Amino acid sequence: MIGVDSGSSIGTVTAAPVSAGTGVLPAPGTDEKVILSIRDLNVYYGNFHAVGGVSFDVPKNQITALIGPSGCGKSTVLRCINRMNDLIPSARVEGEILYHGQNVVAKGIDPVAVRRRIGMVFQKPNPFPKSIYENISWGAKINGIKGNMDELVETCLRKAALWDEVKDKLKENGLALSGGQQQRLCIARTLAINPDVVLMDEPASALDPISTLKIEDLMRELERQYTIVIVTHNMQQAARVSDQTVFFSLGEQRMGMLVEVSPTRELFTNPRDQRTEDYITGRFG
C-alpha cells in the first residue's frame, strides 16, 4: 500500500510494486519515457457517448496540452486520469489508462490512492478556508505524511513561486490572497502530497494576464520534477508552455474524439489533419 518514507524530513510518499487488483499502484520507475498511456478510452454519461476511442501517451517530465472546441471532451479525459469522474453517478469509463503500466481505471484500484499520485488543480482557485500554512499542512497530514511540516510548507510554497509573497503572513486566511496567488497556493497544496503527475484544468482561465504568465512560468519550472497535463482553451498558452499537444474535436452526435497528437511546435506549424489546421487558424472553434 502507499506509505510514507519516515526517513525524509518532509515526508516523501513512496510505494512498492504490487499486482493489479490489490487497490494500490506500482512505484514510479526512474528510466521510463512514458508515464501515462491512454488506450481506447470511451466515456459515457448515461446513454450519451461523451468521448470515443481516445488513445495517446503522456511523456514523463513534459507538459502535454489538451486543446479543442468547447464540449469536445478535454476535461472529461483529464478527470478520468485521476478518477474524478467516479464522483459522477451516471459516468461510465471503458478502456485503459496505464500509469507506470497499471490500469488505474481497473476494478480493485483505490481511486484515493490514484489521486495521491496524480494530483489536480482546478479551473477556479479553491483554497481551503484555513490559513495559508494549514492549506499545505492539512492535506499532507490527512494523507499520512509525517515529518517537518514547517519545511514541507516552505518547500511547497517555494516550488509554487509563492513563498516570498506570503512568508510573513502564513497564519492569514488563504482566501485573502489574490486570485493568482490563490491558484499558486492550490498548486502548492497539490505538491504537498508529492504527486508524480499534476493535472491542470484551465488553471489560468480566471486570472489576469500577469497572473497567467506567472502560472505558465511556474509550469515550466515544475516539469523538471513532475509530469503535467493541462487543458486549455488558449492556443497561445498551449504553444508557449507545452511540449506535446493533443487536439480534440466533435464527431457525430457531439461525441468528443481525438484528432491529432504531435509535438507542440509541429502541430502548430505543420498539422497533419485539416481539422487541426482549421481550428488553430480560427476557421472554426
Side-chain angles (χ1 to χ4, degrees), residues 155-227:
T155 297
C156 293
L157 288 172
R158 285 189 182 277
K159 285 183 177 180
L162 190 57
W163 174 253
D164 289 339
E165 298 172 39
V166 302
K167 62 184 178 182
D168 296 323
K169 48 185 178 181
L170 296 177
K171 294 183 179 180
E172 295 184 14
N173 196 302
L175 295 172
L177 298 173
S178 69
Q181 289 175 324
Q182 286 186 22
Q183 192 65 299
R184 282 181 283 151
L185 178 61
C186 292
I187 293 172
R189 184 180 68 195
T190 299
L191 301 181
I193 60 172
N194 198 27
D196 202 18
V197 178
V198 178
L199 310 177
M200 297 185 175
D201 192 359
E202 299 188 65
S205 65
L207 304 180
D208 61 83
I210 293 175
S211 296
T212 295
L213 287 176
K214 287 184 178 180
I215 295 293
E216 291 178 3
D217 289 343
L218 175 58
M219 283 191 282
R220 297 302 286 180
E221 287 292 319
L222 290 176
E223 74 167 326
R224 299 177 184 180
Q225 295 179 264
Y226 306 93
T227 300

Side-chain angles (χ1 to χ4, degrees), residues 35 78 112 117 140 163 169-170 191 203-204 223 241 280:
I35 195 168
L78 195 76
V112 175
R117 300 287 186 83
W163 174 253
K169 48 185 178 181
L170 296 177
L191 301 181
E223 74 167 326
V241 304
I280 64 176

Side-chain angles (χ1 to χ4, degrees), residues 122-162:
F122 296 92
Q123 179 177 356
K124 184 178 179 180
N126 59 345
F128 300 139
K130 297 176 178 288
S131 70
I132 294 169
Y133 185 100
E134 289 175 310
N135 262 273
I136 310 299
S137 63
W138 187 75
K141 288 176 181 176
I142 64 172
N143 279 282
I145 295 177
K146 300 177 182 178
N148 188 329
M149 280 296 154
D150 291 345
E151 185 177 342
L152 175 65
V153 169
E154 179 176 347
T155 297
C156 293
L157 288 172
R158 285 189 182 277
K159 285 183 177 180
L162 190 57

Side-chain angles (χ1 to χ4, degrees), residues 226-276:
Y226 306 93
T227 300
I228 297 174
V229 184
I230 177 175
V231 165
T232 180
H233 280 286
N234 186 330
M235 285 185 287
Q236 290 76 22
Q237 182 177 75
R240 286 192 299 264
V241 304
S242 69
D243 304 289
Q244 172 178 267
T245 298
V246 184
F247 172 57
F248 290 81
S249 191
L250 290 166
E252 295 182 3
Q253 298 180 338
R254 298 194 63 79
M255 180 184 71
M257 57 183 292
L258 187 151
V259 174
E260 182 170 346
V261 183
S262 295
T264 295
R265 184 182 296 273
E266 179 181 323
L267 185 137
F268 279 97
T269 59
N270 188 28
R272 298 191 301 270
D273 193 288
Q274 184 62 45
R275 291 168 294 179
T276 309

